[in-house]
Amino acid sequence: KGWYDKEIAQYKMALEINPDYTSALNNLARVYASQGIHLSEAISLAEKARKLAPNDVEVLSTVGLVYYKNEMYEKAISTLDEALTIGGKNAVLYYQLSLCYLKRGMKDKALDELEMAIKLDKDKIIKDVKEEKGFDDIRDDLRFKRLVYGEK
């Protein structure tokens, strides 16, 4: 927790010096979203970063994460799709899309996206999937087990 507090303080200080510092806007929004804190402020920060850097895949990924954490799944999906269009195949984006589609009740599409993520960065994605509570509802699914645990 202390590490995040220092990081937040540094990003806030950077934004006091330059309110349009895209990296600080993006990173502060990402920290808030991943910690599940200040989620409405995270939307403002991420959307401002997006206005300043509309074709930055990292920024679009953060915007998608922030929308996901705010339960704005359709906006998250369209933003993450846009990031894929701009930046090409990206394991993290497919992973994030998978979580969004699960929340929309679209299990098959979620598993398609998860499969793409695993193909691109198997070790990292499988580690993240095992720790992510967002996948808890499908852990007994046969296709999920095959993708994540290699079960037949």
Side-chain angles (χ1 to χ4, degrees):
K1 175 109 173 85
W3 179 79
Y4 283 112
D5 292 338
K6 284 182 187 172
E7 199 173 0
I8 288 168
Q10 288 174 336
Y11 294 139
K12 285 182 171 182
M13 193 182 323
L15 290 170
E16 284 176 24
I17 295 166
N18 178 1
D20 291 337
Y21 185 26
T22 307
S23 286
L25 290 163
N26 183 67
N27 294 342
L28 184 55
R30 184 167 283 281
V31 169
Y32 284 166
S34 34
Q35 293 302 297
I37 59 174
H38 310 297
L39 292 176
S40 59
E41 185 181 347
I43 291 175
S44 301
L45 293 163
E47 288 179 345
K48 183 173 182 181
R50 183 182 192 173
K51 281 189 182 101
L52 294 166
N55 295 317
D56 185 316
V57 172
E58 190 68 32
V59 169
L60 292 171
S61 174
T62 297
V63 174
L65 173 66
V66 168
Y67 286 153
Y68 171 79
K69 291 290 187 163
N70 279 280
E71 300 180 8
M72 302 163 74
Y73 305 120
E74 291 304 320
K75 283 182 111 171
I77 288 168
S78 66
T79 301
L80 295 168
D81 279 337
E82 182 181 341
L84 282 169
T85 299
I86 292 168
K89 293 180 179 179
N90 178 309
V92 172
L93 297 174
Y94 286 119
Y95 174 86
Q96 289 177 289
L97 276 167
S98 178
L99 288 167
C100 292
Y101 283 119
L102 272 180
K103 289 292 187 182
R104 298 287 298 124
M106 302 167 71
K107 184 176 77 172
D108 288 337
K109 182 72 173 151
L111 289 170
D112 291 345
E113 301 296 341
L114 182 58
E115 186 172 1
M116 284 298 299
I118 290 170
K119 282 181 183 174
L120 292 170
D121 192 350
K122 184 176 183 174
D123 293 340
K124 180 195 181 329
I125 297 299
I126 287 180
K127 178 184 175 289
D128 290 351
V129 167
K130 288 178 179 177
E131 296 171 5
E132 173 59 56
K133 289 179 178 21
F135 291 106
D136 286 354
D137 290 344
I138 63 165
R139 293 205 188 273
D140 291 332
D141 180 86
L142 288 175
R143 184 171 170 210
F144 179 84
K145 287 180 178 182
R146 275 198 308 273
L147 285 171
V148 177
Y149 302 104
E151 294 183 17
K152 300 289 178 217

